[in-house]
Amino acid sequence: QDNSFEQFIINYCNEKLQQIFIELTLKEEQEEYVREGIEWTHIEYFNNAIICDLIENNQTGILAMLDEECLRPGTVTDETFLEKLNQVCATHQHFESRMSKCSRFLNDTSLPHSCFRIQHYAGKVMYQVEGFVDKNNDLLYRDLSQAMWKASHSLIKALFPEGNPAKINLKRPPTAGSQFKASVATLMKNLQTKNPNYIRCIKPNEKKAAHIFNEALVCHQIRYLGLLENVRVRRAGYAFRQAYEPCLERYKMLCKQTWPHWRGPARAGVEVLFNELRIPEEEFSFGRSKIFIRNPRTLFKLEDLRKQRLEDLATLIGKIYRGWKCRTRFLLMKRCQIVIASWYRRYA
């Protein structure tokens, strides 16, 4: 019911994951058309970088201001932290509080004085500021780290390397927020070096029961997972793309000129194949290294034709095998008959 510091950093991580999802899908989707020389009208989509900057900016970000409150001398409370947020983030379009200039809820009792609201990519979330300062302070003091480092158990010792007397640091330990921010940055750096595949899980109901489909819940999840924008970009462009070599290899049996072997460039073979199948020109485009197919129904048609052709080829192979088998048996019987007849005539 009450979102505190823990939920705040979890939602921050979700925003960063959504940001990399946008960069690696929606952005990459449109950049690929440019690289392949495909005519394309750019589709606008919401980029949540502005929300990530609100949280992680080194000067005006919420985490930076929280660290500043935790480390500064004097009396520090959650209320002074909220006052600082109201001063710095007052005009930010994704930040709201009772004192915020952007807030439309100054008279709304659902937004108490001790709370602030962030308009995340998935929707608005209200956070209870109480406990933010205490939870952000890293209570793992130096003496505790040193005590753990002196333990005889190797695992416990490895978990507290900062307790090593040879590495004593007079600086105050990093806050929980800064540690989490560094961990998220490492995760993002790691993900950007990979080729990720996304699996989006949709919960049909909150009861975890079979045969119950909550349409409102499903629509909400589709919206905040960014699937609507993804589908919109896909529909505006091409639903399927594949390099020429594997495309020709998969569908070459559908054309007499490309089956069983095509001796020229793969792109020329795909052009001959598509012309032979009489696929409308508006349904596909030739890129520099890939074939782009606009609608799924065209791909389904190719798959149906391939399935039927494979069945025909299987029938042909079976027919040839049965013919060879019968012919081989006939020739064997013929040779046997000749041998038997020759021996019979010899003794007749």
Side-chain angles (χ1 to χ4, degrees):
Q1 296 296 323
D2 295 326
N3 296 312
S4 188
F5 179 74
E6 298 85 356
Q7 189 63 44
F8 174 75
I9 59 175
I10 289 173
N11 289 343
Y12 162 58
C13 182
N14 289 335
E15 287 289 349
K16 294 295 289 183
L17 291 173
Q18 181 64 36
Q19 185 182 34
I20 199 170
F21 172 76
I22 291 172
E23 291 179 354
L24 295 180
T25 55
L26 302 182
K27 185 179 179 182
E28 176 65 22
E29 174 84 8
Q30 304 196 62
E31 289 179 348
E32 184 175 23
Y33 296 138
V34 177
R35 287 196 305 270
E36 293 288 331
I38 302 294
E39 293 186 6
W40 170 255
T41 302
H42 182 76
I43 302 296
E44 293 296 333
Y45 56 87
F46 175 70
N47 193 334
N48 70 331
I50 185 174
I51 304 175
C52 295
D53 185 70
L54 169 65
I55 299 174
E56 67 180 4
N57 187 282
N58 291 331
Q59 280 77 36
T60 59
I62 295 177
L63 287 176
M65 286 183 284
L66 181 58
D67 286 350
E68 184 178 336
E69 284 296 298
C70 292
L71 300 177
R72 74 175 177 86
T75 303
V76 177
T77 63
D78 297 314
E79 289 71 22
T80 59
F81 166 62
L82 182 58
E83 290 176 4
K84 193 172 187 65
L85 286 183
N86 290 331
Q87 295 173 6
V88 179
C89 305
T91 58
H92 198 286
Q93 57 183 330
H94 290 274
F95 177 84
E96 296 171 350
S97 72
R98 292 293 287 263
M99 301 295 293
S100 171
K101 294 181 181 179
C102 289
S103 176
R104 300 177 182 176
F105 305 95
L106 292 176
N107 298 321
D108 187 355
T109 56
S110 66
L111 184 60
H113 287 282
S114 61
C115 297
F116 66 93
R117 182 187 283 123
I118 294 180
Q119 186 174 347
H120 288 283
Y121 183 89
K124 294 182 178 180
V125 180
M126 184 176 70
Y127 298 99
Q128 173 62 250
V129 76
E130 183 179 354
F132 261 63
V133 173
D134 289 338
K135 292 174 181 178
N136 187 50
N137 275 318
D138 190 351
L139 301 180
L140 188 61
Y141 293 111
R142 189 176 295 109
D143 54 352
L144 178 58
S145 300
Q146 292 174 355
M148 293 295 102
W149 192 84
K150 293 178 181 178
S152 58
H153 197 287
S154 59
L155 177 59
I156 296 179
K157 189 172 183 178
L159 290 174
F160 297 91
E162 65 275 8
N164 189 346
K167 299 181 180 179
I168 291 180
N169 192 342
L170 298 178
K171 293 183 179 179
R172 191 168 179 176
T175 60
S178 61
Q179 292 182 59
F180 189 84
K181 179 181 174 182
S183 299
V184 170
T186 303
L187 173 63
M188 296 301 109
K189 185 177 180 180
N190 187 26
L191 289 177
Q192 288 172 348
T193 61
K194 311 300 179 184
N195 185 22
N197 293 294
Y198 292 94
I199 300 175
R200 295 302 203 186
C201 299
I202 306 296
K203 294 189 295 184
N205 60 79
E206 293 287 4
K207 299 179 180 179
K208 299 180 181 180
H211 310 298
I212 299 178
F213 188 86
N214 188 331
E215 184 176 353
L217 176 63
V218 172
C219 290
H220 173 68
Q221 293 174 85
I222 291 175
R223 189 177 299 109
Y224 79 68
L225 287 174
L227 300 183
L228 289 178
E229 290 181 317
N230 207 332
V231 170
R232 188 158 54 88
V233 172
R234 283 279 185 173
R235 282 187 172 180
Y238 297 85
F240 177 80
R241 73 288 315 273
Q242 191 176 36
Y244 291 119
E245 289 79 4
C247 180
L248 181 62
E249 185 67 26
R250 184 169 183 82
Y251 301 113
K252 64 181 181 180
M253 73 281 294
L254 301 180
C255 176
K256 293 181 180 179
Q257 301 179 53
T258 57
W259 177 258
H261 301 292
W262 173 256
R263 301 300 181 185
R267 172 169 176 167
V270 174
E271 291 178 358
V272 170
L273 174 64
F274 276 53
N275 290 333
E276 178 73 16
L277 297 176
R278 297 182 180 179
I279 297 177
E281 294 184 358
E282 64 273 10
E283 284 296 311
F284 63 90
S285 291
F286 293 107
R288 293 187 176 92
S289 63
K290 296 179 181 180
I291 176 72
F292 289 78
I293 298 177
R294 185 176 296 278
N295 290 309
R297 63 173 177 267
T298 302
L299 183 64
F300 298 154
K301 177 184 176 181
L302 289 173
E303 288 295 321
D304 290 340
L305 291 173
R306 181 177 183 271
K307 181 180 179 181
Q308 182 60 47
R309 180 59 177 160
L310 288 176
E311 293 176 357
D312 295 341
L313 290 174
T315 302
L316 177 62
I317 293 172
K319 180 180 71 173
I320 294 174
Y321 172 75
R322 288 192 297 271
W324 169 83
K325 188 175 181 180
C326 291
R327 186 165 54 253
T328 302
R329 186 169 183 270
F330 167 75
L331 294 175
L332 178 62
M333 292 175 66
K334 183 178 179 181
R335 286 197 300 271
C336 293
Q337 187 271 334
I338 294 173
V339 172
I340 293 172
S342 64
W343 281 90
Y344 177 78
R345 285 193 298 270
R346 179 182 300 180
Y347 291 100

